[in-house]
Amino acid sequence: MAVPAAALTSKPVLFDLPYTPMKKKPLPAGRPRQWYISHNRRLKAMRLAIALLDSGVYLPSQAPDHRIRTTAARVGIHPPSDTTCHMVRALLRYSR
């Protein structure tokens, strides 16, 4: 008879632990300014896409600019530009 893998562990696995962000590391020096701008924009778009997915928005058609901006305000992120909103919709499109 096979024993479930959960029965073999001594401690229960908890999935509902509070979220703690990773420690931030400084960005590498010596890159052009445009690299830092696009890098930070990608990170912001990714955080917004995750927040939208958590709130039940799964399709790009469900995420107009005003919804992305209200989600950013709710999460505590500065209002995104039109370019960042476009990137958020692209992430939602390609996450499927």
Side-chain angles (χ1 to χ4, degrees), residues 25-32 35-36 39:
K25 295 186 284 187
L27 293 174
R31 306 265 179 145
W35 183 88
Y36 297 104
H39 175 77

Side-chain angles (χ1 to χ4, degrees), residues 5-91:
L8 297 176
T9 60
S10 59
K11 294 180 182 178
V13 179
L14 298 176
F15 290 107
D16 294 329
L17 294 175
Y19 169 75
T20 56
M22 294 177 62
K23 255 199 152 139
K24 291 186 178 181
K25 295 186 284 187
L27 293 174
R31 306 265 179 145
R33 179 174 170 77
Q34 190 58 39
W35 183 88
Y36 297 104
I37 292 170
S38 64
H39 175 77
N40 288 330
R41 180 169 282 157
R42 285 191 300 266
L43 291 177
K44 186 178 200 176
M46 204 163 31
R47 285 194 304 269
L48 286 170
I50 290 168
L52 285 168
L53 288 169
D54 287 345
S55 68
V57 175
Y58 301 111
L59 298 173
S61 60
Q62 296 173 327
D65 287 350
H66 67 86
R67 185 160 198 175
I68 294 172
R69 289 188 175 111
T70 53
T71 302
R74 190 177 315 127
V75 175
I77 301 174
H78 286 283
S81 65
D82 292 339
T83 306
T84 306
C85 291
H86 182 76
M87 288 177 79
V88 169
R89 283 189 290 276
L91 285 170

